[in-house]
Amino acid sequence: MDSLVNGSIKQRPKWLQPICPIDSRLTPPETGQIPLRTLQFKRGLLHELRKGNATKEQIRLHNLVQQLPRAIIIGVRKGGTRALLEMLNLHPAVVKASQEIHFFDNDQNYARGIDWYRGKMPFSFPHQITIEKSPAYFITEEVPERIFKMNSSIKLLIIVREPITRAVSDYTQVLEGKERKNKTYHKFEKLAIDTNTCEVNTKYKAVRTSIYTKHLERWLKYFPVEQFHIVDGDRLITDPLPELQLVERFLNLPSRISQYNLYFNATRGFYCLRFNIVFNKCLAGSKGRIHPEVDPSVVTKLQKFFHPFNQKFSQITGRTFNWP
Ligand code: A3P
């Protein structure tokens, strides 16, 4: 740690500076706002709590609370929402709600009230922020107003992928569900293209969900564009760290997630997470399915269809993508 001498910061000698990213994660925060070092050491306690092992006394002693989320990953389904949540949870000031809670999109849950929602949140230290993800929020009509009523200054994260890849990923998930039940299902091409008109079938949910700008416009009736941060889900797959650093900045968190926390697993073909020297994990096997081949003429038709919507989405959000 650098020390204060005569009111100025004295750099510690080079040989004493941390050489490994895990060391640097234990140095005090630049901002002085969040006692990250303390939080880092106490994470084990939060883990015990999640398993239901912590006592009431421990909760009281450590001043642990169940906090409403200060940021929500509102979508998009199959954009990489789970990877984003798990990767953000590497940050010592972030605590994730493990399950999708579906409070704002499910009328029955919503009727249970805000205390029910808070009760679904994990225990955390007061300086930490809780994040939940429920991808259905992005496309559900009533959700923006409901979230606005809870907290009009909440931070909203949206992770998007190239729209056709996302639609095919969505299709693949449904297809897998059907196959598990020994049911047959249409080919993607048959669902995505209206056979009567030969035009893109906008009634097909996987196509509609990928029209990002249409959904975002509904949200913008309630929240200013500055309250949203768009994560490039394709880059989160190939090079996650820069995307995560942008999110850290958006959430006003000191930069703590490092390359040490992310390692490429060649067998999975994805980045996996390293929390510390003993604990690492990859996402479940249901993330990273093999997609079916799609007829190139259908892909071209879909590209033409999505192009103007993609352009509008970029204009509104100020983010550009490597999409055709
Ligand atoms: P595919 O299964 O189509 O490859 P979601 O969590 O929103 O359902 O998104 C699932 C997608 O997350 C996967 O889609 C996968 O491509 C993507 N993903 C991004 N980073 C990943 C990672 N590190 N490990 C596994 N999947 C990841």
Side-chain angles (χ1 to χ4, degrees), residues 251-308:
L251 297 177
N252 291 327
L253 295 172
S255 174
R256 280 294 177 280
I257 304 173
S258 75
Q259 203 60 62
Y260 172 85
N261 301 123
L262 302 155
Y263 66 96
F264 188 75
N265 181 313
T267 318
R268 286 296 313 273
F270 284 101
Y271 276 88
C272 296
L273 287 66
R274 182 186 286 125
F275 285 83
N276 54 44
I277 205 151
V278 285
F279 183 54
N280 51 40
K281 70 167 187 181
C282 296
L283 262 58
S286 59
K287 306 293 174 185
R289 296 187 177 98
I290 295 168
H291 296 181
E293 288 268 333
V294 177
D295 183 327
S297 67
V298 170
V299 173
T300 309
K301 200 166 264 192
L302 285 167
Q303 279 173 352
K304 276 198 192 132
F305 171 80
F306 281 120
H307 187 72

Side-chain angles (χ1 to χ4, degrees), residues 76-84 87 100 133 135 159 161 165-166 168-170 172-173 233 236-237 240 268 270-273 282-291:
V76 179
R77 176 182 152 93
K78 306 320 292 174
T81 53
R82 173 56 62 185
L84 178 61
M87 287 175 181
E100 289 180 10
K133 77 117 178 162
I159 179 164
R161 266 164 103 187
T165 314
R166 196 221 64 81
V168 176
S169 174
D170 202 331
T172 310
Q173 173 159 313
L236 194 83
I237 295 175
R268 286 296 313 273
F270 284 101
Y271 276 88
C272 296
L273 287 66
C282 296
L283 262 58
S286 59
K287 306 293 174 185
R289 296 187 177 98
I290 295 168
H291 296 181

